[in-house]
Amino acid sequence: MSGKGPTKAKVLVVHRIGFVRAGVLSLIAKSMRFVVCGETDEAPLARELFLRHKPHLVVVGLRLCGADGIQLIKEFRSLNPAAAILALSEHADAFSAQRVFRAGARAYLGIEDAPELLRAFDKILTGHPHVGASVLPLILSNFAAGSKNSRSPDINNLSDRELEIFSLSAGA
């Protein structure tokens, strides 16, 4: 029998905020089931690390240096549909959750949901979706409101690229 334990799932961490990345790295370091294979705040480097290390899991922020996280999720899904992607948002909302899942992520957490991160990893590796505790009430309220949602009914009809342009033009 070899001296090695079970193989750990490789995790790539892509987030523009350094202290968020550091927190995620710290949580993963304390785990016996996961190991970080790379981390960055830049989309081009994230693509390179994704192709080089072939991670089992990817943590992606929605806004990155020089890119949109939703687009990166789509790219990762096309490059390796088996990779489980978790979106980690600094401003969690139901609309972003919808976009993230539509892009191919399996989980959506707000930063305040960080204590759920490892549990979310376990769930999405088995093919189950996960939504953070802070986000779930927002999604349920949005779902319950249905077509009565007067906040921005037309925004749901915009493509991801149109939303990205709208966001940039609004200075968001």
Side-chain angles (χ1 to χ4, degrees):
M1 189 182 283
S2 73
K4 292 184 177 182
T7 303
K8 293 182 178 186
K10 295 184 289 185
V11 183
L12 173 61
V13 180
V14 185
H15 205 284
R16 73 181 174 103
I17 301 174
F19 73 83
V20 171
R21 280 195 323 277
V24 170
L25 296 174
S26 176
L27 286 170
I28 294 169
K30 294 176 185 172
S31 167
M32 300 301 291
R33 299 179 312 277
F34 309 103
V35 62
V36 174
C37 65
E39 58 101 0
T40 184
D41 63 348
E42 299 175 5
L45 181 55
R47 288 180 195 96
E48 180 184 318
L49 292 170
F50 186 85
L51 291 170
R52 183 184 324 148
H53 296 293
K54 297 175 180 39
H56 303 99
L57 292 154
V58 183
V59 176
V60 178
L62 298 187
R63 295 185 182 183
L64 304 170
C65 294
D68 174 63
I70 299 288
Q71 186 59 39
L72 194 61
I73 291 169
K74 290 178 181 180
E75 289 179 39
F76 287 166
R77 294 294 296 156
S78 70
L79 291 169
N80 180 4
I85 301 170
L86 179 148
L88 183 60
S89 178
E90 48 216 80
H91 304 291
D93 63 89
F95 183 66
S96 294
Q98 179 185 30
R99 291 183 64 222
V100 159
F101 282 108
R102 197 175 357 154
R106 293 187 194 160
Y108 182 73
L109 300 178
I111 289 176
E112 59 273 18
D113 298 318
E116 299 176 41
L117 188 70
L118 299 179
R119 185 167 41 110
F121 284 175
D122 287 331
K123 282 182 72 174
I124 66 176
L125 279 175
T126 60
H128 295 93
H130 184 84
V131 176
S134 72
V135 183
L136 188 56
L138 302 173
I139 292 172
L140 293 174
S141 294
N142 193 39
F143 179 74
S147 62
K148 295 180 285 186
N149 186 354
S150 62
R151 196 179 77 147
S152 294
D154 294 333
I155 203 163
N156 290 317
N157 297 326
L158 296 177
S159 71
D160 287 326
R161 181 64 181 148
E162 290 168 331
L163 284 167
E164 183 181 357
I165 293 168
F166 177 74
S167 176
L168 290 171
S169 68

